[in-house]
Amino acid sequence: FVLCFHHKMSLGLLTLRALRGAPGLCRRTPAATGGLRAASSAAPRDKRAVITESTEEYKFVERLIPPTRIPDPPKHVGAAPSGWTPPAESPPPLPYMIRRSRMHNIPVYSDLTHGNRRMTLVRKVEGDIWALEKDVREYLRQVTGKELPTQVNEVTMTLKVKGHFEQELKDWLASKGF
Amino acid sequence: MAGSSLDVLQNLPRITLANLRPEPGARKNEKRRGRGQHGGNRSGRGHKGERQRGTRPRLGFEGGQTPFYLRIPKYGFNEGHSRRPQYQPLTLKRLQYLIDLGRVDPSQPIDLTQLVNARGVTIQPLKRDYGVQLVDEGSDIFAAKINIEVQRATEGAIAAIERNGGIITNSFYDPISLGILIKPVPFFMRGQPIPKRMLPGEDMVPYYMSAENRGYLADPEEIQQARRALAQKYGYVLPDISKDELCHMLAMRKDVRQIFFGLSPGWVVNMPEKKILKPTDEKLLQYYSS
């Protein structure tokens, strides 16, 4: 505890000196982009200060730069520990195709409007969407035993199903190999 | 049948405002109470009194009795809520998902910068966020050996990471250092030297000095004892890390005053020319290494 307080005391005394010393660094390097320090009218004693440049530690900076593209997932044998399954190497021989989202997930989403209207949405459908609708209806009839209303939007190529069936549909599509 | 409605549309006349009509039964007229022959007379307002005359008192009024919302005394549940530190939760399930999708590299030490670059968590330092906390939902699925540094962690999460042979550390970042840690590139573009990381405040020092929480200020021997005790409590065999080939990477830890791995406070990073400028004045070196 005592050590921590000592740290803070010495900080208070030294910050002033640091503020005066830092502008010298900024002025020495006109190539370094960044904001101009208002306190750069420091005393001529900065002419003594010398800075060393190095490029060896720049690799640590490169690690900090965020990537601009979404990385490809590494190869997994079967399912990953978190439950994510990669798509099959070749698309399944069905009249429709469901692409993966840009984050490599199955595009099935649950929706809730007006606080009580539950829907499940299947996006990114290509090919014969009515065949998919028939298969989904058949599968959900086996799972729930009820005839669920569905809506097909041919313009956006999406399929809406009444009720929350996100997990069931995701597992079913993953088992098909999409 | 695919695209059938679009084919049909191509053969029909042009759609105009005159051709559009909703599906029969889609639009139902709204119910208007109290108008007309059998709803007339009193128009659905009842018989005399405040109900018919529309002079009912405000919501919550109980006829003069002290109402419920005034009977209950005030209590400072939310008092000082804007001065409380918040930690964005990160489940082990999500962490495993990020590792599986290749967004987080388990062969390098995992830092808050790595998590934010992978878009795994979103931290808002301006909303009193002090970092990320590791939550143990998904500890049974978790299977990755990592060296992770968070700001808070539950006991179950610590156990899950150490069971798989990883290392977890809790370290403190003051709000300015946190802002720099989350977005390093805009900070480097500013041209300021990397500041020192401040030590935690009085109330947080016990948390970061205790070995049970794997605090960064705690004694390494105590941490080893705490690891063994936790393994015994949760019933798993503690794997030996010193025999691992990634031992060097797993044992990497930041200095108490360091914000980034490999970069000391006091250095200025020149991104366009890919150079790092280091001070040589002894007073500055003394300040930055204190």
Side-chain angles (χ1 to χ4, degrees):
Chain A
F1 270 104
V2 178
L3 280 167
C4 297
F5 283 131
H6 196 68
H7 260 283
K8 287 192 178 170
M9 285 290 292
S10 52
L11 263 181
L13 293 167
L14 288 168
T15 26
L16 290 168
R17 239 175 275 156
L19 279 172
R20 265 185 272 140
L25 282 169
C26 285
R27 246 201 298 149
R28 288 284 141 180
T29 57
T33 55
L36 302 160
R37 285 277 190 106
S40 55
S41 56
R45 54 139 92 167
D46 301 319
K47 292 219 176 91
R48 281 193 284 125
V50 164
I51 330 139
T52 47
E53 294 188 357
S54 88
T55 35
E56 291 101 48
E57 283 97 355
Y58 196 76
K59 61 176 190 287
F60 293 108
V61 175
E62 275 163 8
R63 267 196 236 170
L64 300 169
I65 302 173
T68 40
R69 309 188 88 225
I70 300 166
D72 291 319
K75 292 272 173 240
H76 286 282
V77 181
S82 62
W84 179 78
T85 40
E89 274 81 41
S90 65
L94 289 161
Y96 47 84
M97 171 65 188
I98 295 168
R99 275 202 197 195
R100 291 269 175 138
S101 72
R102 70 186 72 192
M103 292 298 189
H104 312 288
N105 293 326
I106 299 184
V108 172
Y109 309 100
S110 58
D111 195 10
L112 189 77
T113 14
H114 309 102
N116 52 10
R117 176 180 247 182
R118 299 178 191 187
M119 281 184 292
T120 315
L121 175 68
V122 178
R123 274 188 66 234
K124 294 187 88 111
V125 184
E126 287 163 3
D128 190 359
I129 202 169
W130 291 102
L132 169 68
E133 192 250 353
K134 190 155 137 287
D135 290 343
V136 163
R137 252 186 310 139
E138 188 55 44
Y139 174 68
L140 288 176
R141 188 151 54 92
Q142 285 165 9
V143 166
T144 54
K146 285 189 271 195
E147 291 287 340
L148 292 160
T150 54
Q151 184 196 43
V152 163
N153 189 332
E154 286 182 13
V155 177
T156 50
M157 295 300 265
T158 54
L159 176 71
K160 272 194 186 169
V161 180
K162 179 176 169 180
H164 275 344
F165 298 107
E166 192 182 342
Q167 206 46 53
E168 288 91 337
L169 284 179
K170 274 189 173 163
D171 297 332
W172 180 66
L173 288 171
S175 68
K176 290 222 162 186
F178 284 115
Chain B
M1 278 277 275
S4 60
S5 64
L6 290 169
D7 296 331
V8 164
L9 259 180
Q10 275 174 353
N11 299 331
L12 286 173
R14 181 182 296 185
I15 290 182
T16 59
L17 283 176
N19 294 346
L20 295 172
R21 188 190 303 177
E23 182 83 359
R27 303 241 192 265
K28 201 165 163 146
N29 289 333
E30 81 163 2
K31 189 173 163 181
R32 295 189 74 226
R33 313 182 44 223
R35 307 272 178 270
Q37 189 183 19
H38 299 292
N41 223 5
R42 295 204 187 87
S43 309
R45 294 296 303 236
H47 172 66
K48 285 198 202 176
E50 284 174 345
R51 293 162 195 234
Q52 195 176 23
R53 292 167 181 146
T55 48
R56 270 203 240 197
R58 65 182 180 277
L59 184 68
F61 186 67
E62 291 176 16
Q65 169 184 285
T66 317
F68 169 78
Y69 71 92
L70 288 179
R71 263 185 193 272
I72 308 298
K74 282 199 198 180
Y75 185 82
F77 287 110
N78 295 334
E79 192 183 339
H81 72 283
S82 57
R83 286 174 208 252
R84 283 184 213 150
Q86 293 179 6
Y87 298 92
Q88 181 74 10
L90 174 68
T91 52
L92 286 170
K93 187 174 165 201
R94 181 149 174 86
L95 184 57
Q96 182 65 52
Y97 167 79
L98 293 169
I99 293 172
D100 290 337
L101 283 235
R103 281 151 73 170
V104 159
D105 192 8
S107 66
Q108 295 291 323
I110 297 178
D111 198 10
L112 188 58
T113 326
Q114 301 297 324
L115 288 169
V116 169
N117 286 353
R119 279 43 158 214
V121 282
T122 308
I123 310 282
Q124 298 164 303
L126 295 173
K127 298 286 175 201
R128 278 74 64 190
D129 272 351
Y130 272 61
V132 77
Q133 56 174 327
L134 210 53
V135 171
D136 52 352
E137 176 186 330
S139 53
D140 37 349
I141 322 170
F142 194 72
K145 187 164 61 170
I146 48 172
N147 176 7
I148 188 162
E149 192 201 46
V150 286
Q151 279 70 53
R152 224 174 170 86
T154 51
E155 210 183 26
I158 299 175
I161 293 198
E162 292 185 345
R163 186 189 310 146
N164 290 307
I167 295 196
I168 176 165
T169 326
N170 281 337
S171 53
F172 173 80
Y173 288 90
D174 56 289
I176 301 177
S177 307
L178 192 73
I180 295 168
L181 185 70
I182 294 169
K183 296 186 179 173
V185 177
F187 171 73
F188 293 144
M189 300 303 261
R190 273 181 245 162
Q192 290 165 8
I194 299 174
K196 293 197 286 192
R197 208 204 312 177
M198 293 294 122
L199 292 165
E202 266 182 61
D203 41 345
M204 292 208 240
V205 165
Y207 181 83
Y208 288 106
M209 281 191 71
S210 80
E212 280 82 38
N213 303 330
R214 311 289 186 272
Y216 71 132
L217 298 170
D219 206 7
E221 287 97 51
E222 280 178 41
I223 290 183
Q224 283 299 330
Q225 283 170 13
R227 281 165 62 94
R228 274 179 238 127
L230 200 69
Q232 212 172 35
K233 176 177 175 181
Y234 277 78
Y236 58 86
V237 174
L238 188 66
D240 199 3
I241 297 179
S242 51
K243 300 205 179 80
D244 205 345
E245 68 263 9
L246 288 169
C247 162
H248 172 70
M249 183 283 291
L250 287 173
M252 262 172 86
R253 254 191 174 206
K254 285 187 200 171
D255 183 52
V256 175
R257 293 290 199 177
Q258 213 184 359
I259 300 184
F260 300 113
F261 271 117
L263 303 174
S264 301
W267 293 357
V268 182
V269 172
N270 187 347
M271 287 199 81
E273 293 183 10
K274 304 208 175 161
K275 282 192 207 160
I276 296 180
L277 311 159
K278 304 176 196 175
T280 45
D281 191 23
E282 338 67 67
K283 285 182 191 150
L284 282 176
L285 290 172
Q286 198 189 17
Y287 167 72
Y288 279 118
S289 58
S290 67

